Structure formats: structure tokens, C-alpha cells
Amino acid sequence: MERKNIAFFEHGQFSKVKEYRFDPDRMLKDYVKEFLIVEASDLVSLETLPSTSVSLNYIISGSIEMKQKGDATIKLPKAFAFGVARTSLHFDFSEGTTLFAIIFNPGMAPSLISCPINDFFEKFIAYSNFLNPNQLSQIEQIFAEQGKYADLIKRIEKFLFDEILFTQKKDNIKEAVNEIIHSQGSTSIKKIVDVLAVSRDSFEKKFRKQVGTSPKKFSNIVRFRNLFENGHKYATLTEMGLNAGYYDQSHFIKDFKVITGKNPSKFL
């Protein structure tokens, strides 16, 4: 499994899991980060990293349950969206499960989803709650057809070409997202607002609606994911935190525990 764009925190059961990643057509690259297919050959439990992106998911075969506190579980619907997430989440994949995901670039889900994206924050929402009947019918038909994954991607891309609201206008939120990602979550929101010359209140409201969470939380997720996406190796907790963009060890340890429920020393 590639370290870049890593989805899962736990690696011990990867012998039971296969991932297939596909880059979108160049005309979709501004909107779609990638297409991801996950196959679980056996019963497997996985823990996700916090996510900066909204995804549209479809369970092609098998089933997936999400673990909650107290060991309760929720069975996920066959077709669902999942929003930006600040915490790690635990999932059980049944034997023979295949999951397909369209992963949007941060801030670009509104090109297909008309409702506020912050409504999706750390939530699983069935397609029927935000797609129209015609769109639902098209998606069902796409996945009903058998064939190679490459053919499935082509059908999905055609659907997106037909449904996405393409726009070339200047977008301050896209600029802000790019700056946060480029700085690995270390740039200040005040600096971004000053550069864009916009009101902080209106900026943050628009950011939450378009990206799915506040600029501060988004920066926090980007900073945390930097621990895993760039394949760092650490000797100490201090080094781990500093390389990820944290200013002190205590803040880093507190954040790590809140996000994963684990002490970072277990990762060393």
C-alpha cells in the first residue's frame, strides 16, 4: 500500500486487503482526488485516518459495520457519502467485501452535492438524502453492470461529467485549502484571511459550507495526516510532533490521543 494518500491507520491486517487507486480524467482532476477500490478477502477490522475529503461510497459486495463507543455497531448503507472527519473511525469489513469510493478534492464536493458540506462532518449519509431519483437510478445501473474496474471507472467518470457543475471562477476557498495543505497545516488562519483580504467571519462560514469543517479543524487534520502520508521515521515523540508541524510535545500528545484514542509512543 502506498504511503501517499494513505487511508488506514492499522497495517497489521493488510494481507487480507487489496487497494486499487485510479487517477481521474484530466478534466476531473480539479474536482476528484482519486477513485479508490478496497477488497477484503476475509473478515477484517480497519481504522481510518482523519480525512480532509468528502467521499461518495458504494459497497459493491459484502457489508461494512462501523464500531461505536461501547462496542455497538452500525451497518452502513450500500450507497453513502462520508464527510470530513477529525477522528479515527473503526470498521469491520465482512468476508468478500468490495468498496468503491469517489474521493473529492477538499472543497470540491459542492460541484455535485448542493447541500452544505458541513452537514456531512463525521457523518455517513445515504445517497437518497442528497441525490435526485434520476442520479440514484444512474448509479445503480453503473454498478449493476459487470466488468473490469477500468470500465467501471469510465462509467463513473461519464456520470460525473454529466452531473458536476463545472466552474472556472476564482475561488478563495480553494486558494485557502491549497495554502493549508502546502504548509502542512502550519499556516495561521489570520495570515490566510489577510492575504485574501476578506472578512474572517464570512470566510470561515463559507469554508465550513464548502469544505465541511472549520479552517482550524481542517488545518489540524492536515497536520496530523502529515505524520503518515510522508512516511516519516521518528526517534522521539518530540521529533514526531515537530516534523508534523506541532509546536510542542504536550499539544501533539494530547491531539494524538483525541484523534486516535492511542498514545503516540505506540507508533514509535
Side-chain angles (χ1 to χ4, degrees), residues 168-182:
Q168 299 297 325
K169 68 180 180 180
K170 182 179 175 65
D171 190 338
N172 287 339
I173 300 303
K174 184 177 178 180
E175 290 183 41
V177 165
N178 289 340
E179 175 59 28
I180 291 170
I181 292 174
H182 179 73

Side-chain angles (χ1 to χ4, degrees), residues 22-81:
F22 298 82
D23 291 329
D25 182 276
R26 63 182 182 84
M27 295 294 291
L28 290 169
K29 278 187 175 293
D30 283 347
Y31 303 86
V32 176
K33 181 177 182 179
E34 65 180 349
F35 302 107
L36 171 65
I37 298 173
V38 180
E39 294 179 342
S41 60
D42 201 348
L43 177 65
V44 62
S45 295
L46 295 172
E47 182 177 358
T48 62
L49 283 172
S51 172
T52 58
S53 303
V54 173
S55 61
L56 294 184
N57 307 273
Y58 193 95
I59 302 174
I60 298 175
S61 62
S63 62
I64 302 174
E65 292 185 340
M66 183 179 72
K67 294 181 181 179
Q68 296 181 296
K69 292 181 180 179
D71 294 328
T73 60
I74 296 176
K75 186 174 181 179
L76 300 183
K78 191 175 187 67
F80 62 92

Side-chain angles (χ1 to χ4, degrees), residues 140-207:
E140 287 294 336
Q141 182 60 39
I142 286 170
F143 286 99
E145 298 179 28
Q146 300 296 316
K148 297 178 180 179
Y149 287 154
D151 296 329
L152 171 59
I153 299 298
K154 289 180 180 179
R155 296 196 298 271
I156 288 292
E157 287 185 327
K158 184 180 184 306
F159 168 80
L160 293 174
F161 278 128
D162 291 341
E163 298 296 331
I164 276 183
L165 300 176
F166 290 93
T167 176
Q168 299 297 325
K169 68 180 180 180
K170 182 179 175 65
D171 190 338
N172 287 339
I173 300 303
K174 184 177 178 180
E175 290 183 41
V177 165
N178 289 340
E179 175 59 28
I180 291 170
I181 292 174
H182 179 73
S183 71
Q184 298 182 341
S186 64
T187 192
S188 71
I189 306 307
K190 182 181 183 304
K191 178 181 177 181
I192 293 175
V193 170
D194 289 345
V195 170
L196 296 177
V198 294
S199 158
R200 179 157 185 161
D201 286 345
S202 62
F203 166 75
E204 293 198 351
K205 182 178 180 179
K206 185 178 179 183
F207 193 100

Side-chain angles (χ1 to χ4, degrees), residues 75-260:
K75 186 174 181 179
L76 300 183
K78 191 175 187 67
F80 62 92
F82 184 58
V84 171
R86 185 175 180 269
T87 56
S88 297
L89 299 171
H90 302 256
F91 299 91
D92 287 333
F93 285 57
S94 69
E95 181 180 352
T97 292
T98 299
L99 173 68
F100 179 91
I102 304 169
I103 302 175
F104 284 95
N105 283 316
M108 301 310 293
S111 61
L112 180 65
I113 301 171
S114 59
C115 51
I117 300 304
N118 49 296
D119 289 350
F120 292 74
F121 182 71
E122 294 193 338
K123 291 181 181 177
F124 293 89
I125 300 179
Y127 283 6
S128 57
N129 289 328
F130 60 90
L131 295 180
N132 63 49
N134 181 56
Q135 291 171 325
L136 292 171
S137 176
Q138 289 183 65
I139 289 174
E140 287 294 336
Q141 182 60 39
I142 286 170
F143 286 99
E145 298 179 28
Q146 300 296 316
K148 297 178 180 179
Y149 287 154
D151 296 329
L152 171 59
I153 299 298
K154 289 180 180 179
R155 296 196 298 271
I156 288 292
E157 287 185 327
K158 184 180 184 306
F159 168 80
L160 293 174
F161 278 128
D162 291 341
E163 298 296 331
I164 276 183
L165 300 176
F166 290 93
T167 176
Q168 299 297 325
K169 68 180 180 180
K170 182 179 175 65
D171 190 338
N172 287 339
I173 300 303
K174 184 177 178 180
E175 290 183 41
V177 165
N178 289 340
E179 175 59 28
I180 291 170
I181 292 174
H182 179 73
S183 71
Q184 298 182 341
S186 64
T187 192
S188 71
I189 306 307
K190 182 181 183 304
K191 178 181 177 181
I192 293 175
V193 170
D194 289 345
V195 170
L196 296 177
V198 294
S199 158
R200 179 157 185 161
D201 286 345
S202 62
F203 166 75
E204 293 198 351
K205 182 178 180 179
K206 185 178 179 183
F207 193 100
R208 287 193 297 271
K209 183 177 180 180
Q210 187 167 323
V211 177
T213 188
S214 69
K216 183 177 180 180
K217 286 182 179 179
F218 184 80
S219 297
N220 180 275
I221 296 168
V222 169
R223 185 166 58 243
F224 183 82
R225 286 182 64 91
N226 183 48
L227 288 167
F228 302 88
E229 288 184 335
N230 295 330
H232 297 306
K233 292 185 178 180
Y234 315 97
T236 66
L237 290 179
T238 298
E239 182 182 291
M240 181 189 284
L242 290 175
N243 281 334
Y246 289 90
Y247 294 106
D248 60 72
Q249 181 176 310
S250 61
H251 181 206
F252 164 63
I253 292 175
K254 180 181 178 181
D255 229 31
F256 200 102
K257 287 181 176 178
V258 168
I259 291 171
T260 70

